[in-house]
Amino acid sequence: MRWRSSLSPLWALSALTPSVRADYSLEVAYQGDTFFNGWNFYGNRDNLTNGAVYYVAESESSDVAYTNSAGNVIIKVDNETTIASGTTNALRNSVRITTKDTYDIGSLFVMDALHVPYGCATWPAFWVKAKEWPSGGELDIYESVNMQQNQIALHTVTGCFASNETTNSTATGSMTYNNCAYNVAANHGCTFEDSRNSSFGEGLAAVGGGLYVAELASDGISVWWFPRSQVPLDLRAVNATPDPRSWSLPTAYYPSSSCNINQYFAPQQITINIALCGSWAGEPGVFSPSCGTGSCADYVLDPSHFDEAYFEIASVRVYSGGLNTRSSSGVAAASGVIGAIGGSDSATSRGERAWSVGRVGALAVVVGMLGVGVLWTGF
């Protein structure tokens, strides 16, 4: 809803009562036979992380990207082609897809996965990033290499941090690095690890999978992993109206107090991909010794190594209706009024959010000589 008004200053200011945000509502669900209609295939070798894969074009994807008999989407690495020993720059077919649409702050991203890729040399990810990177930010919701646990990360330009005050009262994961800047520590990102066996690899498949969920809101970014048996009631149906305020603590939490979400994050595209080897999974000390003494490049030659290197996905969903105050971020003249009403970028505590009645959409107040103009968005 969007409306403008030219009211007398006193009347307008008295009308600035915060409105309760409605629960999220479904914007789009990618699933079943039409899943791939909303995605672009990369169609090139992995020239981004120097991985040992060729990301197929849509026209050549039928063996590695399809819907199975259960109606679930399979995204996989080729596990049939044997590559001759000694082949230079051997590349195995894989998939990297990115949504055609972008989704702004105030979005909730959900992947319902029954199986995720695992095994030596694999580097799968479910993530979102802006078209302009790194200025528009990146959020890695699920990412794992070889046999390691799930890692959640933000990657941004300089100035964004994970809060050093994040504790087990605000997130259940373990913070492993707090500087999100892409040009620090070889683009490590500010990271949380989820050590639960159910959140990655073979352990995820054993519990029937579950939901990876990320909330991109003006007051902070939160990421959850829900094993199948622990999925909240308001997330079980695709057309649900989820309310993150009623859920358990997230695995990772990035409050806007240490990373201004409006400043560091632009509208995001969703990407799902499976890399092999490359600048993380294939590094010495990462691939070896846990995956043997040979090289990652040699490991890729044998197709049987990748029998478990696939996503099985029931749906990828995006819900909208969350907190988005991007339109008020530049209204410096009225910042005092906005801050008093609840439209500032400062984050409330996790506890306050859990018990709050609702969060206010964006409110900007522009004071002029003839009156007060009011702009409401985001409800």
Side-chain angles (χ1 to χ4, degrees):
M1 180 176 72
R2 184 184 295 261
W3 60 271
R4 295 177 182 271
S5 174
S6 293
L7 306 172
S8 66
L10 292 178
W11 195 97
L13 289 174
S14 68
L16 300 180
T17 303
S19 297
V20 175
R21 176 189 62 77
D23 292 339
Y24 284 96
S25 58
L26 183 66
E27 181 169 347
V28 63
Y30 301 98
Q31 58 185 346
D33 292 333
T34 61
F35 181 97
F36 295 105
N37 291 355
W39 304 73
N40 291 319
F41 284 72
Y42 193 63
N44 202 350
R45 62 173 293 272
D46 180 7
N47 58 354
L48 303 174
T49 64
N50 298 312
V53 298
Y54 169 72
Y55 290 127
V56 298
E58 185 171 11
S59 60
E60 53 194 356
S61 66
S62 59
D63 291 335
V64 289
Y66 55 89
T67 303
N68 66 14
S69 58
N72 298 323
V73 167
I74 302 296
I75 295 171
K76 61 178 288 189
V77 171
D78 165 40
N79 63 335
E80 296 181 359
T81 306
T82 298
I83 301 174
S85 179
T87 301
T88 303
N89 298 323
L91 303 179
R92 185 167 293 283
N93 281 359
S94 186
V95 180
R96 177 185 171 116
I97 55 173
T98 298
T99 55
K100 297 175 182 178
D101 291 335
T102 60
Y103 303 97
D104 205 354
I105 295 172
S107 297
L108 190 74
F109 303 98
V110 179
M111 179 172 72
D112 184 340
L114 291 87
H115 188 284
V116 293
Y118 65 91
C120 289
T122 62
W123 181 358
F126 167 59
W127 50 298
V128 299
K129 79 172 187 68
K131 289 185 176 181
E132 298 298 326
W133 188 95
S135 60
E138 172 187 334
L139 165 61
D140 302 330
I141 302 167
Y142 161 75
E143 187 174 24
S144 178
V145 295
N146 301 320
M147 307 300 287
Q148 295 183 17
Q149 64 263 47
N150 180 29
Q151 177 174 279
I152 298 157
L154 300 188
H155 301 273
T156 67
V157 293
T158 302
C160 172
F161 296 86
S163 174
N164 284 325
E165 297 179 358
T166 300
T167 66
N168 57 11
S169 65
T170 56
T172 61
S174 300
M175 186 196 299
T176 52
Y177 200 73
N178 82 324
N179 194 333
C180 309
Y182 78 100
N183 54 357
V184 173
N187 193 26
H188 186 285
C190 46
T191 51
F192 284 79
E193 289 185 349
D194 187 348
S195 61
R196 292 173 293 174
N197 288 335
S198 67
S199 71
F200 65 101
E202 186 175 5
L204 179 144
V207 299
L211 272 57
Y212 295 101
V213 184
E215 182 183 33
L216 180 63
S218 286
D219 62 352
I221 291 174
S222 303
V223 179
W224 290 263
W225 159 249
F226 294 114
R228 186 73 56 196
S229 63
Q230 298 174 23
V231 172
L233 289 173
D234 60 7
L235 268 178
R236 294 183 183 179
V238 170
N239 62 348
T241 53
D243 181 2
R245 296 164 298 176
S246 67
W247 302 345
S248 58
L249 291 177
T251 308
Y253 177 50
Y254 302 93
S256 194
S257 55
S258 58
C259 179
N260 186 322
I261 307 304
N262 288 342
Q263 177 181 346
Y264 288 99
F265 283 84
Q268 305 281 298
Q269 293 174 289
I270 308 169
T271 295
I272 301 172
N273 72 287
I274 312 172
L276 300 177
C277 302
S279 56
W280 184 14
E283 290 182 351
V286 179
F287 178 78
S288 59
S290 60
C291 290
T293 57
S295 70
C296 192
D298 287 341
Y299 192 87
V300 170
L301 304 179
D302 185 346
S304 68
H305 290 160
F306 303 103
D307 288 346
E308 300 296 338
Y310 69 93
F311 285 98
E312 183 175 2
I313 300 170
S315 65
V316 171
R317 322 169 202 164
V318 183
Y319 298 86
S320 59
L323 181 60
N324 180 352
T325 60
R326 188 185 298 284
S327 60
S328 68
S329 60
V331 191
S335 60
V337 176
I338 295 172
I341 300 169
S344 73
D345 291 329
S346 62
T348 56
S349 71
R350 200 44 154 167
E352 289 170 336
R353 292 183 65 205
W355 290 100
S356 65
V357 174
R359 291 178 294 180
V360 185
L363 169 63
V365 181
V366 182
V367 180
M369 293 182 64
L370 299 178
V372 176
V374 181
L375 168 67
W376 294 83
T377 65
F379 299 113

